[in-house]
Each structure stands twice: as structure tokens, then as C-alpha cells.
Amino acid sequence: MKIYEWINERVDISSIKKIALKKRVPIFYGTIWYYLGGVSLFLFMIQVFTGILLVLYYQPGAETAYESVKFIISRVEFGWLIREVHSWSANLFILFVFFHMFTVFFAKAYRKPREMTWISGMILLLLSLGFGFSGYLLPWNELAYFATKVGSDIAGAIPIIGDFALRLLRSGDEVSGATLTRFYGIHTALLPGIFTVMLGLHLILVQVQGMSVPPEIEKIPEKERKSIPFFPDFALQDAMAWLIVLNIIALLAVFFPWELGPKADPLASAPAGIRPEWYFMFMFQTLKYIPAHVLFIEGELFGILLFSIGGFIWFMVPFLDKKAHEGIRTPFWTWFGILLIIYMIVFTAWGYLT
Amino acid sequence: MSQTKRSEVKKERRSFLNTLLKTGLVAWVASVIYPVARFLIPPKMAKLNVSSIEVGLISDFPKSSSKIVRFGRKPIIVIRKESGDFKALEATCTHLDCNVQFKSETEQIWCACHNGLYDIEGKNISGPPPKPLAQFKVDIAREKIIVSQMDLS
Ligand code: HEM
Ligand code: FES
């Protein structure tokens, strides 16, 4: 309290405290959804923490990357643990961000006045996928090498800027040690910087605007709705959820280690079973079944077009679903979300089964 | 000068200054972005002007076998067919750049990434590849296999 008063005498921080204390969390069937964003935040903090530890031993470069990861997991004390936690938490992070996104979608939390929160969340999702894509290459193993070749080649098919994009990503015409250095910079400096700023914005918006409730709940008169204070009640529940997640990660890390696999070799044939990280699988599987030419355009380009349009629509949902602002659920958007989830699950499963 | 006229002149002056400021800002932003964009693209590597390479002796290649070797900066696949003849093709799939492999059972070339298939001459026959694989010339001189760029004539 002394410290608080010392600071408050110099800069007024009581207004921040007021906002924090005013925030309440609605209690209804969907209260559990409110944990998802918090868990995503926690997983990101784990990534930053373990990532910084990995940086201390990891050495980018075609001749050193694979060897240094091997060194981390076999020689450095608890190095295996740090790497496993980084890998597992990365995957859970993306999973929870997806869960979080779909629950706010179906709760129509993007409706006025929370459009900016949705947009900043979408940017955070894209950045997270960027983290995953750039991190995947860092161990410089065979699987990641070819997955990165494919992923960056897709960028090359974009009209007009494709060539620039490809050389920008690969730092040259081929995936090489230069690409690895570049991905390392993106993964450990560029993305963490931008992500932190975006995350700050996202959290400030959530704090200032408070929690939203689905339209059905909003119709109940304010007085009859139940809620609990965010501080300290809900924050403690959040902490409980985090603790559970941390334990799950520890179990996964110990009992289901991630294979490092063989080292990348630019003169080897791509082995069967080349696949990207699971969260890119539905796109990868779609590309596989788009024929070489659709109408008059190349299949690759057609795929890019498809996903860009789809992604853009998803991005702009707050501005397209106008009825949501009046608290009305339109069957169109409900089905859009449901079909999207079905498509993603079916194509992901199909990709793994074939 | 009347009051209105004076304010008119003032307005004009303001919009002139505004335009000047905006143009300056755009020029400034461009002069920052341009060098950064150029910096991000690495300098072009000197082209390795390889016109031919030696890939080994005939005896290194049993019938129905293959090997991927470096030709300049790009990988190529050298195949010895069942018949004993040699064939050399670009090894990167025309779909999304994976390295292809020779399937000896069917004498076809297969790309594992998205199940692309080429025939032994490098022609795309099924799956997503949109184009055939580029051809290289194979010569044999005193038991040595020499792969060279196709004559462009
Ligand atoms: C400040 C933040 C971060 C830093 C400093 C960092 C650093 C690193 C380093 C040094 C590696 C290479 C070592 C290794 O491969 O085990 C790595 C790998 C990786 N990172 Fe991160 N990282 C950060 C955040 C993230 C986030 C948010 C994700 C979320 C998707 C992520 C996903 C990955 C993945 C998938 C790998 C490959 C793991 C493997 O197979 O070994 N990283 N990271
Ligand atoms: S990269 Fe060869 S089929 Fe896609």
C-alpha cells in the first residue's frame, strides 16, 4: 500500500484502479468461455519465457541450428524440458486462440462497440500463425525444411508482388541458411514486438469495455443478471485455470515428446508424410485437391484467392453482420461459423488419415 | 483590405502550407521505406554459371536407381532406367518446390508433398503439378556420366 500511495502522490493511478475494480464478470452458461482468452494469454507468457531461455543456446544457421537443438535436448540440463514446453505450449496456444475466437464469434461479441477488439484479435491470430510458421523451421529438420519450401512457394504465386514476397521470405531464391537466419529474426524479434503491442491494445479494449454477453442474455434486465467482480474473484478462478493448463503441459512434455527427426538435406527427396503444423493442415489438404488449373487460372493462385477472400470475410464480420448490432442472430452467420468449423475439422482429419 | 478578403487570403495560405506539409511527409515516409525495402531483399548472388557437371561413373548407378545432385544452385535428379538409359531432370516439383523422387516399380517420378506424378520423361501426368520438369542432357564419355544444360538452339 505504501508503494501504491507513493506512486499515486506523483502520478494519478487511482483512475486505473477504479476501472479495474469496476469490472464485473457476468455469470451464465457461457462464463466458462471467458477463461479461453486468459489461458491464451498465459500460454503466450510461457512462450516468451521459454523462448528467451532457448535463445541462450540456439544457434541459427544451416550447419548449427539442428546441432544446437540436439545439444539443448541432450546435453543442457533440463534443456529437453524447456524445448518440450515451448513446443507443446506453442500448439496449445494456437488451439486456445482458435477456441477463443470461435466462442466470441458465436456469442456475437464482435457487435458494436467491440469491432476493434475483434480486429485486434484477428491480427493476433495472424501473428500467432506467423510464430508457428517461423518457429517450425528453426530446428532445421527434414519435415520443417520441405514444409517451409512449400509454404514460401505459395507466397511466390501471389500476383504482382509474388516474386518480391518469395525473396523477402526466403532471403534469396531457395530455402537456405539465409532463410533460417531470417526466420529466427522474425520469430524472436519482429513478431514478439508487434504481438506485444497488439496484445496490449486488445487487453486495454477488453478492460475498458468490460465483458460482453450474448444477445439473449443482454435482453434480461440488468438487475436480474448475475455477476461477480473481476478482482479478485474471477482473477483467482483464472489463476486456477492457468495452473491446470500448466500441469497439462508438464504431463504432455514428459510423456509425449516432440520428435526432432532427421536433419534437413536440400539434396534429399521429400519423404512421404510431409506436412505442415496441424493448424495449417486444412489449407494444405485443400491445396492438394485443387487441380492444376481451375478455369483459366493456376490451381495455386486459385487456392490463394479462395483463402484470401475467406480470411477477409472473417476479418470483416463485425461490419458485414449488421443485424448483430441490434441483438439479432441471423441464421446465415451462425451457419457460416458452423460450416467453417466442420470444414476445418474434416479437412484436418482427412489430411492426417491419408 | 476587407475583412472577408483577408480571411480568404489566410485560408489560401493555410491550405498551401498544408499541402506543402503533406507532400513533405509523404516524401519523408517514402525516403524511409525505400531503403528499408531494398535492404530486406538480399543482393543477387553471382550466378553460378554451370554448363555441365560430372555425376559419377556408370557403375555408381545400378539399373532403376536415381540420385539427386547439385547443378549450380538447383538440385537435379539423375535416373538410370530399367533399360539402362540415363535421364536427367530438374528435381524440384513444378507445383510447390518439393524435391521429387524416382519410383522404380512404376518408372515414374513422384512428389510426396501433394501426390504429384510425372512420367519418366518428366511430363506431369497427375496431381497438382502444372508443368513438366525441365530437361537436362546426359552424355557418357569413357564410363563417366556428364549432365549438361539443354542446348537452347
Ligand atoms: C518472445 C517470444 C519467443 C521467443 C524468443 C522464441 C524463441 C524460439 C527459439 C530460439 C526456438 C528454436 C529452438 C527450438 O526449436 O526448440 C523456437 C522454436 C519454436 N517456437 Fe518460439 N519463441 C517465441 C515465441 C513463440 C510463440 C508465441 C510461438 C507460438 C506459436 C512459438 C512457436 C515455436 C515453435 C513451433 C518452435 C519449433 C519448436 C521445435 O520443434 O523445436 N514461439 N522459438
Ligand atoms: S510440391 Fe510436388 S506435388 Fe505439390
Side-chain angles (χ1 to χ4, degrees), chain A residues 307-327:
Chain A
F307 288 120
S308 313
I309 294 170
F312 186 70
I313 291 176
W314 194 247
F315 219 90
M316 298 303 281
V317 156
F319 307 101
L320 298 174
D321 184 7
K322 295 213 176 71
K323 280 277 192 304
H325 304 316
E326 299 153 28

Side-chain angles (χ1 to χ4, degrees), chain A residues 157-175:
Chain A
I158 305 172
I160 306 167
I161 60 157
D163 202 45
F164 177 81
L166 180 110
R167 286 164 50 76
L168 185 69
L169 266 178
R170 290 187 176 175
S171 184
D173 295 320
E174 305 283 335
V175 173

Side-chain angles (χ1 to χ4, degrees), chain A residues 146 149-150 153-154 164 167-168 170-173 182 266-272 274 284 287-288 290 292-293 300, chain B residues 37 39-42 44 68-70 73-75 92 94-101 110 112-114 127-130:
Chain A
F146 285 109
K149 255 173 107 97
V150 170
D153 205 70
I154 292 172
F164 177 81
R167 286 164 50 76
L168 185 69
R170 290 187 176 175
S171 184
D173 295 320
R182 180 151 297 199
L267 291 183
S269 299
I274 277 298
F284 180 82
L287 277 185
K288 207 155 146 180
I290 292 178
H293 294 278
E300 237 176 271
Chain B
F39 177 88
L40 289 174
I41 297 292
K44 269 245 184 271
I68 296 181
V69 295
R70 210 182 273 284
R73 283 190 206 291
K74 54 182 172 232
T92 47
T94 56
H95 179 222
L96 294 175
D97 214 26
C98 277
N99 292 357
V100 296
Q101 56 187 287
W110 181 58
C113 284
H114 313 96

